[in-house]
Structures are given as C-alpha cells and as structure tokens.
Amino acid sequence: MDTQDWKIFLIPYSQAIEELKVKFKAIRKEFAILDEYSPIEFITGRVKKVSSILEKAERKNIPLDQVDKKMEDIAGIRIMCQFAEDIYKVIDIIRARSGKDLYIVEERDYITNLKPSGYRSYHIIIKYPVQTAMGERLIFVEIQIRTLAMNFWATIEHSLRYKYRQNMPAEIQDRLNKAAEAAFQLDGEMSEIRDEVLKAQEIIQEKSAKDID
C-alpha cells in the first residue's frame, strides 16, 4: 500500500478511537454529575503508526492484506485509574456494554499474570462497530486498563525497550523488574489508605467549588 492507501485504511481506526474516548469520558462525567467517585481517572487513545504496523507485521509474519483481521492493537485505548480496585470496576463497565455498542473478543490479565518484564496491565480486546461510507465495519481495538503507577513504569519500560530493541541489558532489566515490584507495592499502599485519599480529594473539590462561587 502507498501512503494514500494507508491513510484511507486507518480512517476507521481513528474514528473508533475518537468515539470510544467520547464514550468513556461521558461515563466519567456522569459519575461527577451524580457526585460519585469515578474509577476512570483519564483516557488516552492512539492509532499505530504505519512504520509500527509494518514492523509488527514482519515480526509476526502477518501478510499486509491480513493486518485488519490478525492485528488487534492497531487502535488502542488506555484507561488510567487511581487505585488497583478501580481497574476491576472499569472492567465491569466494559463487560456490561458487550453485545450493545462493543463486543469483547478476549481478556488478558497481566496484573495477576504479569509478564516476565514486570509489565502489569489489564487488556480487553474488543470489536467496535464503525459506520463508514462503505457501510458498517467491525474494528479491533485494544483497551488497556492500568493504574497511574503501572502506567508510569510501562512508559519508561517502553522507551528503554525501543532504545535497546530486543537487546535489553540484563542490569537494566533487573532494575526494571525491581521498579515494577516497587510500583506494585505503591499501588498496594495507596489501596490501604484509599478512603483517606478520597476524603482528602473530596475536601479539595468542595473548597474549589466554594472559591468559584
């Protein structure tokens, strides 16, 4: 495919990302309107760059005319949570929508079953219906749900893995593993004082509202 072909190919993926971001932001806003705590802290989304698609297709031996059927993370949504417990609330929200405006294909629990690198996150692979000029298309989207601590670690690890490709020095990998465990312990400590944190945030929000008035 040439550059123009790729642009056309990726349009439905960009549309899926934008629509899903709007929907999850609406859920977060609804919790706020109801004066309830939202398990969703914030949402980001991206469509893979063509260079990344080509690299993965080569690495996984995926024919280019099959990437839309065999590559599940061309479109990706990331949902960040304050606390580890919030992850499972978000999972329940997504499961409740399955069969309505999205369809769960697979769930991958890298929190209970963390990767050897130390990576922790919960992934849900969905198919999302996008209305295009050529009719409805079901697009694969990977939803990653993680805490802020998990995301900080994953962002650093991704940068280092990109730098070293597949040749991560053993010393750095060992440090990353220790950092992953520290992030996991941090999430545990934050969960222990969750009620205190939420009360403090509620006080700050009430004060901000009074200042505005």
Side-chain angles (χ1 to χ4, degrees):
M1 289 194 288
D2 60 23
T3 302
Q4 186 63 21
D5 289 335
W6 277 112
K7 284 182 179 178
I8 294 170
F9 173 79
L10 294 175
I11 286 173
Y13 292 93
S14 297
Q15 184 176 333
I17 290 299
E18 292 308 311
E19 290 183 12
L20 284 165
K21 284 168 63 178
V22 168
K23 288 182 178 183
F24 284 115
K25 286 178 181 178
I27 291 171
R28 189 180 191 282
K29 185 175 182 179
E30 185 176 351
F31 277 105
I33 291 172
L34 296 172
D35 286 328
E36 293 184 13
Y37 170 74
S38 172
I40 298 173
E41 183 67 9
F42 65 92
I43 308 103
T44 62
R46 63 98 184 99
V47 175
K48 265 186 185 298
K49 294 180 180 178
V50 174
S51 58
S52 297
I53 295 173
L54 293 173
E55 185 276 329
K56 184 170 183 177
E58 182 178 359
R59 178 162 43 88
K60 297 286 188 179
N61 295 315
I62 300 173
L64 290 184
D65 61 354
Q66 294 290 309
V67 292
D68 60 332
K69 299 178 180 64
K70 295 186 177 181
M71 199 174 293
E72 300 167 338
D73 63 344
I74 294 176
I77 287 285
R78 189 168 294 159
I79 299 175
M80 250 63 73
C81 306
Q82 287 198 79
F83 303 98
E85 294 89 343
D86 297 339
I87 292 173
Y88 299 98
K89 293 178 181 178
V90 174
I91 293 168
D92 287 340
I93 289 171
I94 296 171
R95 285 174 179 166
R97 298 181 81 119
S98 186
K100 298 172 184 175
D101 61 345
L102 57 86
Y103 306 90
I104 293 177
V105 175
E106 186 180 354
E107 297 186 28
R108 299 168 185 167
D109 185 353
Y110 298 123
I111 298 174
T112 303
N113 307 296
L114 75 160
K115 291 185 175 183
S117 64
Y119 177 85
R120 284 183 171 90
S121 187
Y122 199 99
H123 293 194
I124 300 180
I125 307 300
I126 67 167
K127 279 194 170 182
Y128 181 77
V130 173
Q131 305 303 321
T132 74
M134 304 300 291
E136 183 176 277
R137 283 190 59 190
L138 283 173
I139 301 295
F140 274 121
V141 180
E142 180 184 70
I143 302 176
Q144 300 177 352
I145 313 159
R146 56 177 67 157
T147 63
L148 299 172
M150 291 176 191
N151 188 62
F152 172 72
W153 182 92
T155 301
I156 299 301
E157 192 268 352
H158 178 77
S159 299
L160 289 171
R161 194 160 297 281
Y162 180 82
K163 175 183 178 181
Y164 292 107
R165 300 297 179 177
Q166 301 302 317
N167 300 305
M168 183 84 75
E171 179 187 359
I172 293 180
Q173 184 60 65
D174 182 58
R175 287 178 176 272
L176 279 172
N177 288 340
K178 290 177 180 176
E181 184 58 29
F184 182 68
Q185 293 297 327
L186 174 61
D187 277 333
E189 290 296 327
M190 291 299 101
S191 291
E192 290 292 326
I193 59 171
R194 181 175 183 273
D195 289 343
E196 290 298 321
V197 173
L198 293 180
K199 286 177 183 176
Q201 291 176 347
E202 186 177 336
I203 291 170
I204 292 171
Q205 289 174 354
E206 288 177 353
K207 184 179 185 304
S208 298
K210 288 179 181 177
D211 290 343
I212 293 173
D213 292 341

